[in-house]
């Protein structure tokens, strides 16, 4: 019964998300409904002590990233830089390779360390322009961005600085370059299979006579600033964000050390404010990089940006608030579900799978799917079962690097179910519903999930690491 309660809460939230209802409203309803059926006395304590605590904690850390990312994306749009980049891309690769171009830009930014959420905000303006000019249905944009930002550069390619590739290092004593051959082969499989699927969908739409679409929402505003900027100037802010993010990621921990504290200048004997720099340096780096990107756009395109800054910034702030609240609600939902007895039933059942790598892959991807979070599901799985995974791997002579890569890649598999925060953010930013665009995101999810087992098969067949 405990398991059925958790399953019912998950299915309910996925259903309402797919139907287009707000998860800000229904995530707490689904989570607290499960608590009510498990132990009614815990409804109020779980709501304030766990759901709201995790939700507010997420906003405290990540809302500035959402806000700055949304403003950066809006400035890229209103400056005309997105249109300039699109025009250059069409001249360079042709309209028929529009999807490949978007995947490549997303991959470059993600592998450069830019947050997945920021990539969505930054890439959407010129993805929409490129798809419109290439007459590709807008509903394929989320699947295309998902392939470029949520898959191989997130956790498969060795060295990626995304959190999904960093978490396993603490459990297995590895580094982010673990299993470089397996990770690269897995990434190539995802990229090729994903592009084959997306191009098949594009050709099917073309054959049916379907164009970009009409009566769409959240469309980038037409550029009315006269002559377009040179494409190298237009792409400079995007490159600056990636480079600055890397520089800050290295410099900030050195400048502040592992821990930093200061005494607030207030009346009374206030306690020092202490911060663990290792836990927030990556967030500071992204925020600093986005500020540099925003400043660059303002310097390069002051007149066109300021002509519509007031209205454009309002729209960006509204979008950031909605996206952040959606994702934070999902984060709170996952925390409550993970605290219920039914979740423990799932975890214990998964532990019975005999093969060490298959056990790890299914456990991580299942818990990521239930919580709607790749990093959250993997953290829960490894915190509870890392010792078991390690013992089983030692018994089977499996290197820790392989455990690392399998765990990282599995986390980004079934995490992108309809209630996933990144998926909801992606759809909100692009102005599309689950019914319009989720099918293609889910197809990419299946490719990503299959890639984990391809990597496991390659390891057992060849011994490559």
């Amino acid at each position: 019964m405990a398991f059925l309660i958790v399953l019912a809460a998950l299915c309910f939230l996925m259903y309402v998300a797919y139907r287009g209802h707000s998860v800000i409203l229904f995530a707490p309803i689904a989570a607290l409904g499960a608590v009510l059926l498990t132990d009614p006395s815990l409804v109020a304590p779980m709501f304030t002590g766990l759901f709201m605590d995790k939700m507010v904690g997420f906003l405290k850390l990540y809302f500035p990233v959402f806000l700055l990312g949304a403003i950066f994306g809006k400035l890229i749009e209103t400056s005309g830089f997105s249109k300039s980049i699109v025009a250059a891309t069409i001249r360079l690769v042709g309209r028929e390779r529009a999807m490949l171009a978007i995947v490549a830009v997303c991959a470059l930014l993600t592998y450069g360390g830019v947050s997945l959420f920021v990539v969505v905000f930054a890439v959407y303006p010129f993805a929409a322009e490129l798809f419109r000019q290439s007459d590709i249905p807008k509903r394929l944009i989320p699947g295309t961005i998902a392939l470029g930002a949520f898959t191989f550069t997130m956790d498969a390619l060795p060295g990626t600085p995304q959190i999904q590739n960093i978490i396993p290092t603490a459990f297995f004593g590895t580094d982010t370059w673990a299993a470089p051959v397996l990770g690269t082969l897995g990434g190539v499989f995802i990229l090729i299979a994903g592009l084959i699927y997306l191009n098949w969908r594009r050709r099917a739409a073309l054959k049916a006579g379907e164009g970009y679409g009409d009566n769409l929402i959240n469309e980038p505003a037409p550029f009315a600033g006269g002559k377009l900027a040179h494409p190298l100037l237009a792409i400079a802010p995007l490159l600056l964000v990636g480079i600055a993010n890397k520089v800050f990621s290295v410099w900030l921990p050195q400048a502040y050390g592992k821990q930093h504290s200061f005494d607030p200048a207030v009346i009374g004997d206030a306690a020092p404010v202490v911060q663990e720099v290792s836990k927030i340096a990556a967030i500071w780096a992204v925020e600093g990089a986005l500020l540099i990107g925003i400043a660059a756009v303002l310097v390069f395109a002051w007149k066109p940006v300021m002509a519509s800054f007031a209205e454009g910034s309002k729209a960006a702030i509204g979008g950031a608030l909605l996206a952040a609240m959606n994702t934070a609600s999902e984060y709170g939902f996952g925390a409550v579900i993970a605290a219920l007895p039914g979740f423990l039933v799932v975890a214990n059942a998964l532990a019975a799978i005999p093969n060490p790598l298959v056990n790890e892959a299914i456990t991580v991807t299942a818990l990521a799917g239930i919580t709607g979070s790749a990093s959250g599901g993997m953290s829960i799985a490894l915190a509870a079962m890392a010792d078991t995974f390690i013992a089983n791997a030692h018994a089977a002579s499996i290197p820790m690097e392989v455990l690392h890569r399998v765990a990282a890649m599995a986390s980004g598999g079934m995490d992108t179910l309809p209630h996933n925060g990144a998926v909801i953010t992606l759809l909100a930013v692009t102005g599309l519903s689950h019914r319009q665009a989720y099918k293609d995101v889910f197809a990419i999810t299946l490719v990503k999930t299959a890639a984990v087992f391809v990597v496991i098969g390659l390891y057992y067949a060849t011994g490559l690491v």
Side-chain angles (χ1 to χ4, degrees), residues 37-423:
L37 294 173
T38 303
D39 185 349
S41 67
L42 289 177
V43 171
M46 280 272 200
F47 177 66
T48 55
L50 196 53
F51 183 90
M52 290 303 299
D53 181 66
K54 294 295 183 181
M55 179 178 175
V56 172
F58 181 91
L59 291 172
K60 181 181 75 171
L61 286 175
Y62 294 107
F63 177 68
V65 174
F66 278 79
L67 179 62
L68 293 173
I71 292 174
F72 178 65
K74 178 58 69 173
L75 296 186
I76 289 289
E77 169 194 324
T78 57
S79 63
F81 285 1
S82 61
K83 197 163 187 176
S84 174
I85 293 170
V86 166
T89 301
I90 290 175
R91 289 195 301 270
L92 186 65
V93 303
R95 297 179 188 276
E96 66 279 3
R97 295 187 180 88
M99 289 178 162
L100 175 60
I102 296 303
V103 169
V105 172
C106 290
L108 179 65
L109 291 172
T110 311
Y111 198 65
V114 180
S115 164
L116 309 177
F117 298 105
V118 174
V119 171
V120 172
F121 285 109
V123 172
Y124 170 61
F126 61 90
E129 186 68 34
L130 183 56
F131 274 51
R132 184 190 298 110
Q133 293 193 28
S134 303
D135 209 28
I136 300 173
K138 182 184 179 181
R139 59 181 175 80
L140 297 180
I141 291 179
T144 305
I145 292 178
L147 176 61
F150 298 174
T151 58
F152 61 101
T153 51
M154 185 176 84
D155 52 44
L157 294 185
T160 176
Q162 298 298 327
I163 188 65
Q164 292 81 5
N165 190 42
I166 295 172
I167 290 172
T169 62
F171 294 93
F172 300 128
T174 51
D175 58 31
T176 58
W177 296 89
V181 176
L182 287 177
T184 301
L185 291 174
V188 170
F189 171 84
I190 296 166
L191 177 61
I192 293 174
L195 286 174
I196 289 172
Y197 169 80
L198 289 173
N199 278 294
W200 169 68
R201 292 284 285 163
R202 178 185 63 82
R203 289 193 300 270
L206 179 65
K207 187 177 180 180
E210 182 184 358
Y212 181 74
D214 300 312
N215 301 318
L216 299 166
I217 62 173
N218 285 20
E219 281 295 283
F223 175 63
K227 185 179 178 181
L228 292 174
H230 190 281
L232 291 180
L233 184 67
I235 204 171
L238 290 170
L239 297 178
L240 279 173
V241 168
I243 294 169
N245 185 55
K246 181 65 176 177
V247 171
F248 285 141
S249 295
V250 174
W251 175 72
L252 285 170
Q254 296 175 352
Y256 287 95
K258 292 183 178 180
Q259 189 179 80
H260 186 268
S261 64
F262 64 90
D263 295 316
V266 297
I267 297 174
D269 188 17
V273 177
V274 180
Q275 294 183 304
E276 296 292 333
V277 175
S278 59
K279 295 180 180 179
I280 54 176
I283 298 172
W284 286 354
V286 170
E287 292 167 356
L290 285 170
L291 287 171
I292 288 177
I294 290 169
V297 178
L298 291 173
V299 169
F300 298 154
W302 176 261
K303 286 186 178 179
V305 165
M306 294 312 295
S308 58
F309 182 79
E311 291 303 316
S313 60
K314 288 178 185 177
I317 292 167
L321 281 167
L322 179 61
M325 284 296 296
N326 278 329
T327 308
S329 293
E330 288 293 342
Y331 201 70
F333 169 83
V336 171
I337 293 299
L340 295 178
F343 190 83
L344 189 60
V345 172
V346 176
N348 291 337
L350 292 170
I353 300 171
N355 183 283
L357 294 180
V358 174
N359 182 348
E360 181 187 42
I362 293 178
T363 299
V364 171
T365 201
L367 299 190
I370 291 171
T371 58
S373 166
S375 57
M378 176 166 54
S379 296
I380 292 168
L382 295 185
M385 302 180 66
D387 291 342
T388 302
F389 294 151
I390 291 170
N392 293 340
H394 283 319
S397 300
I398 297 172
M400 292 298 101
E401 288 80 2
V402 179
L403 279 184
H404 172 123
R405 189 56 54 207
V406 168
M409 291 183 65
S411 74
M414 297 309 294
D415 74 305
T416 45
L417 290 174
H419 64 299
N420 172 264
V423 170

